[in-house]
Amino acid sequence: IAGMPGFVLPSPPDSVTAATLTAYLQQLETQGMMTNGQGLWFQTNTQSLAENRGTQPLPAASITKIATTLAALNTWEPNRTFTIQIQALGSIQNAVVQGALLFSSPDALVLTWQDAIAIGNQLNRQGIKRVEGNLVLHSPAGQSDAQMTGQLLQKALNWAFWHNDFQSPHLKLSPGTPKPNLEISGRIVTDAPASSNARFPTPLLDYRSVPLGQILKEMNVYSSNEIAQMLADAMGGGVAVSSKAAGAAGVPPAEVELVNGSGLTDDKSDRNNQISPRAACAMLMAVQRHLQAYGLNVGDAFPVMGRDVGTLEDRQMPAGTVVKTGTLWNVSSLVGVLPTQQHGLVWFAIVNGGDDYVGSFRQQQDTLLQRLQAQWGGAFPAPAAIKPRDWRG
């Protein structure tokens, strides 16, 4: 129904689905996990199949990034790129910037790990190996957490600090792509005069980011909190993302309450983002409808089981399932779309809460999806409606 992405036809639960979900909840109860701490929502494109606390906002963890994705797509087109300007705030002597390094943007400071690696390599090719001063960030939209963005840049620019979060994206680049080696000695600061030469910046590079669609895919495959917060900051913060996403998905605003764009617990207020399972599904479905107008689909913005790694490493859910994971110390969530023969595309949200039990939650989520697909029949290969394209061309 136009304008109501979250709409489903009123109907009794599907008996087979309801029985399977009841058994799943009973198993959690035997392990000490209360049923009222578990949120479930399963539906086809128009019909609810079964649910538990489906409309109750629950700690969202990184399924927050579904809201950030939807809000971003309702702010910019998928092919939108962002211009990043890099300047030296000081003289350059013997491959060393005698001052600060300024990253700024005329509109929004948004970039991926892949972009940061490319920037580091281009600065190295200009002969720059070290920055004596600070890393300065400037964006008209502001930075609610400049440390997150700065830490991404500091790590990306110097391969000595890389862990799996950068090794994996680097492997996706063209063979032979060098690893940058640029050391920054100072702190991460926002809009602060970094040296006495700040009035005489030296332009180093005007860089254009990869398209928004590719930014979203990388953010969701690796569940990058830094990228998510950069996007949220550019849209006005967590509250603005909440409003945009709930409106685009056609769900009550009370079912999408965010304090940031990443899903991390807010350090200042100790608050978590809250999303209902129904709203999580509705937002993912809204992403699908939005992207279809561009010849794309949810598989182009979220990880696909059997194709992407990142957060899906060691998971055992059915191949072809498009999902977004979410994890905090006591929350494990999974939202996605499962291709089936009987019901076509089944949209689902599983939001588990309890004590420090994340590993077992994941195993049982995967088993639940396997069991449901066995009942409904799998769709192989995955239907074109959720088959991703390759952003690299």
Side-chain angles (χ1 to χ4, degrees), residues 97-131:
V97 176
Q98 305 291 328
L101 190 66
L102 171 64
F103 277 69
S104 63
S105 173
D107 46 16
L109 189 57
V110 176
L111 73 167
T112 66
W113 294 336
Q114 175 182 328
D115 292 317
I117 292 170
I119 289 170
N121 282 329
Q122 291 188 46
L123 292 176
N124 280 167
R125 284 196 290 271
Q126 293 183 30
I128 299 173
K129 300 295 184 180
R130 185 177 176 186
V131 176

PDB file of all heavy atoms in Angstrom, residues 97-131:
ATOM      1  N   VAL A  97      55.006  16.877   7.567  1.00  0.00           N
ATOM      2  CA  VAL A  97      54.186  18.074   7.711  1.00  0.00           C
ATOM      3  C   VAL A  97      54.493  18.694   9.070  1.00  0.00           C
ATOM      4  O   VAL A  97      54.259  18.076  10.113  1.00  0.00           O
ATOM      5  CB  VAL A  97      52.679  17.746   7.610  1.00  0.00           C
ATOM      6  CG1 VAL A  97      51.836  18.993   7.864  1.00  0.00           C
ATOM      7  CG2 VAL A  97      52.352  17.153   6.231  1.00  0.00           C
ATOM      8  N   GLN A  98      55.043  19.917   9.065  1.00  0.00           N
ATOM      9  CA  GLN A  98      55.407  20.601  10.308  1.00  0.00           C
ATOM     10  C   GLN A  98      54.187  21.354  10.852  1.00  0.00           C
ATOM     11  O   GLN A  98      54.178  22.568  10.968  1.00  0.00           O
ATOM     12  CB  GLN A  98      56.562  21.571  10.045  1.00  0.00           C
ATOM     13  CG  GLN A  98      57.785  20.955   9.411  1.00  0.00           C
ATOM     14  CD  GLN A  98      58.505  20.007  10.364  1.00  0.00           C
ATOM     15  OE1 GLN A  98      58.499  20.212  11.586  1.00  0.00           O
ATOM     16  NE2 GLN A  98      59.132  18.991   9.821  1.00  0.00           N
ATOM     17  N   GLY A  99      53.162  20.614  11.154  1.00  0.00           N
ATOM     18  CA  GLY A  99      51.906  21.195  11.604  1.00  0.00           C
ATOM     19  C   GLY A  99      50.833  20.126  11.557  1.00  0.00           C
ATOM     20  O   GLY A  99      51.123  18.935  11.717  1.00  0.00           O
ATOM     21  N   ALA A 100      49.615  20.550  11.309  1.00  0.00           N
ATOM     22  CA  ALA A 100      48.482  19.623  11.347  1.00  0.00           C
ATOM     23  C   ALA A 100      48.077  19.195   9.947  1.00  0.00           C
ATOM     24  O   ALA A 100      48.473  19.793   8.938  1.00  0.00           O
ATOM     25  CB  ALA A 100      47.305  20.264  12.066  1.00  0.00           C
ATOM     26  N   LEU A 101      47.258  18.149   9.903  1.00  0.00           N
ATOM     27  CA  LEU A 101      46.664  17.672   8.659  1.00  0.00           C
ATOM     28  C   LEU A 101      45.157  17.868   8.793  1.00  0.00           C
ATOM     29  O   LEU A 101      44.533  17.360   9.728  1.00  0.00           O
ATOM     30  CB  LEU A 101      46.990  16.196   8.443  1.00  0.00           C
ATOM     31  CG  LEU A 101      46.643  15.610   7.068  1.00  0.00           C
ATOM     32  CD1 LEU A 101      47.509  16.259   5.986  1.00  0.00           C
ATOM     33  CD2 LEU A 101      46.844  14.091   7.067  1.00  0.00           C
ATOM     34  N   LEU A 102      44.576  18.628   7.877  1.00  0.00           N
ATOM     35  CA  LEU A 102      43.158  18.989   7.941  1.00  0.00           C
ATOM     36  C   LEU A 102      42.357  18.185   6.929  1.00  0.00           C
ATOM     37  O   LEU A 102      42.660  18.192   5.732  1.00  0.00           O
ATOM     38  CB  LEU A 102      42.984  20.481   7.668  1.00  0.00           C
ATOM     39  CG  LEU A 102      41.540  20.986   7.481  1.00  0.00           C
ATOM     40  CD1 LEU A 102      40.738  20.802   8.769  1.00  0.00           C
ATOM     41  CD2 LEU A 102      41.538  22.441   7.034  1.00  0.00           C
ATOM     42  N   PHE A 103      41.339  17.486   7.423  1.00  0.00           N
ATOM     43  CA  PHE A 103      40.354  16.828   6.568  1.00  0.00           C
ATOM     44  C   PHE A 103      39.067  17.631   6.668  1.00  0.00           C
ATOM     45  O   PHE A 103      38.516  17.833   7.763  1.00  0.00           O
ATOM     46  CB  PHE A 103      40.081  15.398   7.043  1.00  0.00           C
ATOM     47  CG  PHE A 103      41.078  14.386   6.573  1.00  0.00           C
ATOM     48  CD1 PHE A 103      42.383  14.394   7.055  1.00  0.00           C
ATOM     49  CD2 PHE A 103      40.732  13.422   5.641  1.00  0.00           C
ATOM     50  CE1 PHE A 103      43.310  13.459   6.634  1.00  0.00           C
ATOM     51  CE2 PHE A 103      41.650  12.475   5.207  1.00  0.00           C
ATOM     52  CZ  PHE A 103      42.950  12.495   5.704  1.00  0.00           C
ATOM     53  N   SER A 104      38.555  18.110   5.550  1.00  0.00           N
ATOM     54  CA  SER A 104      37.332  18.896   5.562  1.00  0.00           C
ATOM     55  C   SER A 104      36.477  18.527   4.363  1.00  0.00           C
ATOM     56  O   SER A 104      36.928  17.865   3.427  1.00  0.00           O
ATOM     57  CB  SER A 104      37.642  20.399   5.544  1.00  0.00           C
ATOM     58  OG  SER A 104      38.309  20.749   4.346  1.00  0.00           O
ATOM     59  N   SER A 105      35.218  18.973   4.418  1.00  0.00           N
ATOM     60  CA  SER A 105      34.286  18.712   3.330  1.00  0.00           C
ATOM     61  C   SER A 105      33.357  19.899   3.191  1.00  0.00           C
ATOM     62  O   SER A 105      32.947  20.487   4.192  1.00  0.00           O
ATOM     63  CB  SER A 105      33.475  17.449   3.608  1.00  0.00           C
ATOM     64  OG  SER A 105      32.458  17.281   2.627  1.00  0.00           O
ATOM     65  N   PRO A 106      32.990  20.273   1.966  1.00  0.00           N
ATOM     66  CA  PRO A 106      32.046  21.377   1.788  1.00  0.00           C
ATOM     67  C   PRO A 106      30.628  21.021   2.210  1.00  0.00           C
ATOM     68  O   PRO A 106      29.801  21.908   2.411  1.00  0.00           O
ATOM     69  CB  PRO A 106      32.117  21.675   0.287  1.00  0.00           C
ATOM     70  CG  PRO A 106      32.596  20.391  -0.326  1.00  0.00           C
ATOM     71  CD  PRO A 106      33.502  19.764   0.683  1.00  0.00           C
ATOM     72  N   ASP A 107      30.315  19.712   2.332  1.00  0.00           N
ATOM     73  CA  ASP A 107      28.961  19.333   2.720  1.00  0.00           C
ATOM     74  C   ASP A 107      28.931  18.338   3.872  1.00  0.00           C
ATOM     75  O   ASP A 107      28.338  18.597   4.916  1.00  0.00           O
ATOM     76  CB  ASP A 107      28.186  18.777   1.522  1.00  0.00           C
ATOM     77  CG  ASP A 107      28.992  17.763   0.718  1.00  0.00           C
ATOM     78  OD1 ASP A 107      30.010  17.250   1.224  1.00  0.00           O
ATOM     79  OD2 ASP A 107      28.590  17.473  -0.420  1.00  0.00           O
ATOM     80  N   ALA A 108      29.596  17.191   3.720  1.00  0.00           N
ATOM     81  CA  ALA A 108      29.555  16.166   4.771  1.00  0.00           C
ATOM     82  C   ALA A 108      30.836  15.357   4.734  1.00  0.00           C
ATOM     83  O   ALA A 108      31.279  14.922   3.668  1.00  0.00           O
ATOM     84  CB  ALA A 108      28.353  15.246   4.571  1.00  0.00           C
ATOM     85  N   LEU A 109      31.427  15.165   5.898  1.00  0.00           N
ATOM     86  CA  LEU A 109      32.658  14.384   6.000  1.00  0.00           C
ATOM     87  C   LEU A 109      32.274  12.906   6.121  1.00  0.00           C
ATOM     88  O   LEU A 109      32.035  12.398   7.208  1.00  0.00           O
ATOM     89  CB  LEU A 109      33.462  14.842   7.213  1.00  0.00           C
ATOM     90  CG  LEU A 109      34.882  14.292   7.354  1.00  0.00           C
ATOM     91  CD1 LEU A 109      35.713  14.621   6.119  1.00  0.00           C
ATOM     92  CD2 LEU A 109      35.554  14.857   8.592  1.00  0.00           C
ATOM     93  N   VAL A 110      32.161  12.246   4.977  1.00  0.00           N
ATOM     94  CA  VAL A 110      31.745  10.845   4.918  1.00  0.00           C
ATOM     95  C   VAL A 110      32.708  10.100   4.003  1.00  0.00           C
ATOM     96  O   VAL A 110      32.931  10.501   2.860  1.00  0.00           O
ATOM     97  CB  VAL A 110      30.303  10.702   4.380  1.00  0.00           C
ATOM     98  CG1 VAL A 110      29.930   9.235   4.243  1.00  0.00           C
ATOM     99  CG2 VAL A 110      29.316  11.426   5.285  1.00  0.00           C
ATOM    100  N   LEU A 111      33.276   9.014   4.490  1.00  0.00           N
ATOM    101  CA  LEU A 111      34.173   8.195   3.689  1.00  0.00           C
ATOM    102  C   LEU A 111      34.256   6.801   4.299  1.00  0.00           C
ATOM    103  O   LEU A 111      33.898   6.592   5.453  1.00  0.00           O
ATOM    104  CB  LEU A 111      35.563   8.817   3.583  1.00  0.00           C
ATOM    105  CG  LEU A 111      36.493   8.794   4.801  1.00  0.00           C
ATOM    106  CD1 LEU A 111      37.904   9.177   4.362  1.00  0.00           C
ATOM    107  CD2 LEU A 111      36.050   9.734   5.898  1.00  0.00           C
ATOM    108  N   THR A 112      34.726   5.858   3.491  1.00  0.00           N
ATOM    109  CA  THR A 112      34.860   4.473   3.933  1.00  0.00           C
ATOM    110  C   THR A 112      36.312   4.162   4.247  1.00  0.00           C
ATOM    111  O   THR A 112      37.221   4.957   3.997  1.00  0.00           O
ATOM    112  CB  THR A 112      34.393   3.500   2.838  1.00  0.00           C
ATOM    113  OG1 THR A 112      35.301   3.608   1.720  1.00  0.00           O
ATOM    114  CG2 THR A 112      32.982   3.825   2.376  1.00  0.00           C
ATOM    115  N   TRP A 113      36.538   2.951   4.763  1.00  0.00           N
ATOM    116  CA  TRP A 113      37.909   2.470   4.969  1.00  0.00           C
ATOM    117  C   TRP A 113      38.649   2.447   3.632  1.00  0.00           C
ATOM    118  O   TRP A 113      39.817   2.813   3.545  1.00  0.00           O
ATOM    119  CB  TRP A 113      37.893   1.077   5.578  1.00  0.00           C
ATOM    120  CG  TRP A 113      37.327   1.018   6.956  1.00  0.00           C
ATOM    121  CD1 TRP A 113      37.263   2.039   7.860  1.00  0.00           C
ATOM    122  CD2 TRP A 113      36.753  -0.119   7.606  1.00  0.00           C
ATOM    123  NE1 TRP A 113      36.689   1.612   9.034  1.00  0.00           N
ATOM    124  CE2 TRP A 113      36.361   0.289   8.899  1.00  0.00           C
ATOM    125  CE3 TRP A 113      36.519  -1.433   7.227  1.00  0.00           C
ATOM    126  CZ2 TRP A 113      35.766  -0.574   9.805  1.00  0.00           C
ATOM    127  CZ3 TRP A 113      35.922  -2.290   8.132  1.00  0.00           C
ATOM    128  CH2 TRP A 113      35.546  -1.862   9.408  1.00  0.00           C
ATOM    129  N   GLN A 114      37.960   2.023   2.595  1.00  0.00           N
ATOM    130  CA  GLN A 114      38.571   1.978   1.268  1.00  0.00           C
ATOM    131  C   GLN A 114      39.024   3.373   0.838  1.00  0.00           C
ATOM    132  O   GLN A 114      40.131   3.542   0.297  1.00  0.00           O
ATOM    133  CB  GLN A 114      37.562   1.421   0.265  1.00  0.00           C
ATOM    134  CG  GLN A 114      38.026   1.438  -1.184  1.00  0.00           C
ATOM    135  CD  GLN A 114      36.960   0.913  -2.129  1.00  0.00           C
ATOM    136  OE1 GLN A 114      36.177   0.050  -1.777  1.00  0.00           O
ATOM    137  NE2 GLN A 114      36.929   1.449  -3.329  1.00  0.00           N
ATOM    138  N   ASP A 115      38.185   4.379   1.076  1.00  0.00           N
ATOM    139  CA  ASP A 115      38.554   5.754   0.742  1.00  0.00           C
ATOM    140  C   ASP A 115      39.771   6.200   1.544  1.00  0.00           C
ATOM    141  O   ASP A 115      40.696   6.821   1.005  1.00  0.00           O
ATOM    142  CB  ASP A 115      37.387   6.703   1.046  1.00  0.00           C
ATOM    143  CG  ASP A 115      36.198   6.505   0.133  1.00  0.00           C
ATOM    144  OD1 ASP A 115      36.405   6.340  -1.081  1.00  0.00           O
ATOM    145  OD2 ASP A 115      35.063   6.513   0.636  1.00  0.00           O
ATOM    146  N   ALA A 116      39.764   5.908   2.849  1.00  0.00           N
ATOM    147  CA  ALA A 116      40.868   6.337   3.705  1.00  0.00           C
ATOM    148  C   ALA A 116      42.185   5.700   3.265  1.00  0.00           C
ATOM    149  O   ALA A 116      43.236   6.340   3.288  1.00  0.00           O
ATOM    150  CB  ALA A 116      40.562   5.993   5.159  1.00  0.00           C
ATOM    151  N   ILE A 117      42.138   4.428   2.876  1.00  0.00           N
ATOM    152  CA  ILE A 117      43.341   3.759   2.366  1.00  0.00           C
ATOM    153  C   ILE A 117      43.834   4.449   1.099  1.00  0.00           C
ATOM    154  O   ILE A 117      45.036   4.706   0.926  1.00  0.00           O
ATOM    155  CB  ILE A 117      43.051   2.267   2.106  1.00  0.00           C
ATOM    156  CG1 ILE A 117      42.819   1.531   3.432  1.00  0.00           C
ATOM    157  CG2 ILE A 117      44.194   1.623   1.322  1.00  0.00           C
ATOM    158  CD1 ILE A 117      42.287   0.113   3.264  1.00  0.00           C
ATOM    159  N   ALA A 118      42.913   4.781   0.194  1.00  0.00           N
ATOM    160  CA  ALA A 118      43.293   5.446  -1.058  1.00  0.00           C
ATOM    161  C   ALA A 118      43.900   6.824  -0.776  1.00  0.00           C
ATOM    162  O   ALA A 118      44.892   7.218  -1.404  1.00  0.00           O
ATOM    163  CB  ALA A 118      42.070   5.588  -1.964  1.00  0.00           C
ATOM    164  N   ILE A 119      43.331   7.558   0.180  1.00  0.00           N
ATOM    165  CA  ILE A 119      43.882   8.871   0.533  1.00  0.00           C
ATOM    166  C   ILE A 119      45.295   8.728   1.079  1.00  0.00           C
ATOM    167  O   ILE A 119      46.209   9.480   0.709  1.00  0.00           O
ATOM    168  CB  ILE A 119      42.962   9.572   1.559  1.00  0.00           C
ATOM    169  CG1 ILE A 119      41.666  10.008   0.884  1.00  0.00           C
ATOM    170  CG2 ILE A 119      43.668  10.770   2.199  1.00  0.00           C
ATOM    171  CD1 ILE A 119      40.599  10.483   1.848  1.00  0.00           C
ATOM    172  N   GLY A 120      45.499   7.767   1.969  1.00  0.00           N
ATOM    173  CA  GLY A 120      46.830   7.533   2.521  1.00  0.00           C
ATOM    174  C   GLY A 120      47.855   7.225   1.451  1.00  0.00           C
ATOM    175  O   GLY A 120      48.989   7.750   1.476  1.00  0.00           O
ATOM    176  N   ASN A 121      47.474   6.395   0.479  1.00  0.00           N
ATOM    177  CA  ASN A 121      48.403   6.052  -0.598  1.00  0.00           C
ATOM    178  C   ASN A 121      48.723   7.264  -1.472  1.00  0.00           C
ATOM    179  O   ASN A 121      49.871   7.448  -1.894  1.00  0.00           O
ATOM    180  CB  ASN A 121      47.819   4.927  -1.454  1.00  0.00           C
ATOM    181  CG  ASN A 121      47.955   3.565  -0.786  1.00  0.00           C
ATOM    182  OD1 ASN A 121      48.897   3.320  -0.037  1.00  0.00           O
ATOM    183  ND2 ASN A 121      47.016   2.674  -1.057  1.00  0.00           N
ATOM    184  N   GLN A 122      47.713   8.111  -1.722  1.00  0.00           N
ATOM    185  CA  GLN A 122      47.971   9.294  -2.539  1.00  0.00           C
ATOM    186  C   GLN A 122      48.872  10.293  -1.813  1.00  0.00           C
ATOM    187  O   GLN A 122      49.746  10.915  -2.422  1.00  0.00           O
ATOM    188  CB  GLN A 122      46.644   9.947  -2.935  1.00  0.00           C
ATOM    189  CG  GLN A 122      45.840   9.110  -3.922  1.00  0.00           C
ATOM    190  CD  GLN A 122      44.629   9.835  -4.468  1.00  0.00           C
ATOM    191  OE1 GLN A 122      44.719  10.989  -4.863  1.00  0.00           O
ATOM    192  NE2 GLN A 122      43.487   9.155  -4.487  1.00  0.00           N
ATOM    193  N   LEU A 123      48.702  10.439  -0.509  1.00  0.00           N
ATOM    194  CA  LEU A 123      49.586  11.324   0.250  1.00  0.00           C
ATOM    195  C   LEU A 123      51.011  10.767   0.290  1.00  0.00           C
ATOM    196  O   LEU A 123      51.986  11.524   0.198  1.00  0.00           O
ATOM    197  CB  LEU A 123      49.044  11.522   1.662  1.00  0.00           C
ATOM    198  CG  LEU A 123      47.726  12.306   1.758  1.00  0.00           C
ATOM    199  CD1 LEU A 123      47.233  12.348   3.205  1.00  0.00           C
ATOM    200  CD2 LEU A 123      47.875  13.724   1.203  1.00  0.00           C
ATOM    201  N   ASN A 124      51.141   9.449   0.420  1.00  0.00           N
ATOM    202  CA  ASN A 124      52.469   8.829   0.361  1.00  0.00           C
ATOM    203  C   ASN A 124      53.139   9.094  -0.977  1.00  0.00           C
ATOM    204  O   ASN A 124      54.351   9.373  -1.041  1.00  0.00           O
ATOM    205  CB  ASN A 124      52.369   7.327   0.580  1.00  0.00           C
ATOM    206  CG  ASN A 124      52.239   6.928   2.044  1.00  0.00           C
ATOM    207  OD1 ASN A 124      51.923   5.788   2.362  1.00  0.00           O
ATOM    208  ND2 ASN A 124      52.477   7.849   2.971  1.00  0.00           N
ATOM    209  N   ARG A 125      52.353   9.028  -2.064  1.00  0.00           N
ATOM    210  CA  ARG A 125      52.936   9.265  -3.387  1.00  0.00           C
ATOM    211  C   ARG A 125      53.398  10.718  -3.535  1.00  0.00           C
ATOM    212  O   ARG A 125      54.287  11.008  -4.347  1.00  0.00           O
ATOM    213  CB  ARG A 125      51.923   8.916  -4.482  1.00  0.00           C
ATOM    214  CG  ARG A 125      51.770   7.411  -4.692  1.00  0.00           C
ATOM    215  CD  ARG A 125      51.085   7.103  -6.010  1.00  0.00           C
ATOM    216  NE  ARG A 125      49.677   7.481  -5.993  1.00  0.00           N
ATOM    217  CZ  ARG A 125      48.697   6.682  -5.591  1.00  0.00           C
ATOM    218  NH1 ARG A 125      48.973   5.458  -5.148  1.00  0.00           N
ATOM    219  NH2 ARG A 125      47.450   7.101  -5.617  1.00  0.00           N
ATOM    220  N   GLN A 126      52.806  11.618  -2.755  1.00  0.00           N
ATOM    221  CA  GLN A 126      53.275  13.003  -2.752  1.00  0.00           C
ATOM    222  C   GLN A 126      54.498  13.191  -1.859  1.00  0.00           C
ATOM    223  O   GLN A 126      55.007  14.299  -1.714  1.00  0.00           O
ATOM    224  CB  GLN A 126      52.145  13.935  -2.277  1.00  0.00           C
ATOM    225  CG  GLN A 126      50.968  14.009  -3.234  1.00  0.00           C
ATOM    226  CD  GLN A 126      49.899  14.996  -2.770  1.00  0.00           C
ATOM    227  OE1 GLN A 126      50.199  15.984  -2.117  1.00  0.00           O
ATOM    228  NE2 GLN A 126      48.651  14.718  -3.125  1.00  0.00           N
ATOM    229  N   GLY A 127      54.955  12.099  -1.264  1.00  0.00           N
ATOM    230  CA  GLY A 127      56.161  12.151  -0.451  1.00  0.00           C
ATOM    231  C   GLY A 127      55.915  12.433   1.017  1.00  0.00           C
ATOM    232  O   GLY A 127      56.876  12.651   1.768  1.00  0.00           O
ATOM    233  N   ILE A 128      54.684  12.420   1.459  1.00  0.00           N
ATOM    234  CA  ILE A 128      54.372  12.723   2.858  1.00  0.00           C
ATOM    235  C   ILE A 128      54.328  11.431   3.668  1.00  0.00           C
ATOM    236  O   ILE A 128      53.584  10.502   3.355  1.00  0.00           O
ATOM    237  CB  ILE A 128      53.021  13.464   2.972  1.00  0.00           C
ATOM    238  CG1 ILE A 128      53.103  14.788   2.219  1.00  0.00           C
ATOM    239  CG2 ILE A 128      52.637  13.691   4.434  1.00  0.00           C
ATOM    240  CD1 ILE A 128      51.785  15.519   2.125  1.00  0.00           C
ATOM    241  N   LYS A 129      55.155  11.370   4.705  1.00  0.00           N
ATOM    242  CA  LYS A 129      55.262  10.161   5.518  1.00  0.00           C
ATOM    243  C   LYS A 129      54.855  10.384   6.979  1.00  0.00           C
ATOM    244  O   LYS A 129      54.576   9.427   7.691  1.00  0.00           O
ATOM    245  CB  LYS A 129      56.709   9.641   5.497  1.00  0.00           C
ATOM    246  CG  LYS A 129      57.236   9.291   4.114  1.00  0.00           C
ATOM    247  CD  LYS A 129      56.493   8.118   3.498  1.00  0.00           C
ATOM    248  CE  LYS A 129      57.115   7.734   2.149  1.00  0.00           C
ATOM    249  NZ  LYS A 129      56.399   6.593   1.530  1.00  0.00           N
ATOM    250  N   ARG A 130      54.854  11.662   7.406  1.00  0.00           N
ATOM    251  CA  ARG A 130      54.598  11.916   8.821  1.00  0.00           C
ATOM    252  C   ARG A 130      53.951  13.284   9.005  1.00  0.00           C
ATOM    253  O   ARG A 130      54.233  14.218   8.253  1.00  0.00           O
ATOM    254  CB  ARG A 130      55.900  11.842   9.615  1.00  0.00           C
ATOM    255  CG  ARG A 130      55.724  11.976  11.132  1.00  0.00           C
ATOM    256  CD  ARG A 130      57.051  11.817  11.836  1.00  0.00           C
ATOM    257  NE  ARG A 130      56.913  12.046  13.266  1.00  0.00           N
ATOM    258  CZ  ARG A 130      57.927  12.095  14.113  1.00  0.00           C
ATOM    259  NH1 ARG A 130      59.179  11.921  13.669  1.00  0.00           N
ATOM    260  NH2 ARG A 130      57.727  12.300  15.394  1.00  0.00           N
ATOM    261  N   VAL A 131      53.101  13.386  10.042  1.00  0.00           N
ATOM    262  CA  VAL A 131      52.478  14.648  10.422  1.00  0.00           C
ATOM    263  C   VAL A 131      52.852  14.923  11.872  1.00  0.00           C
ATOM    264  O   VAL A 131      52.537  14.133  12.765  1.00  0.00           O
ATOM    265  CB  VAL A 131      50.945  14.587  10.261  1.00  0.00           C
ATOM    266  CG1 VAL A 131      50.297  15.876  10.756  1.00  0.00           C
ATOM    267  CG2 VAL A 131      50.560  14.314   8.811  1.00  0.00           C
TER     268      VAL A 131
END
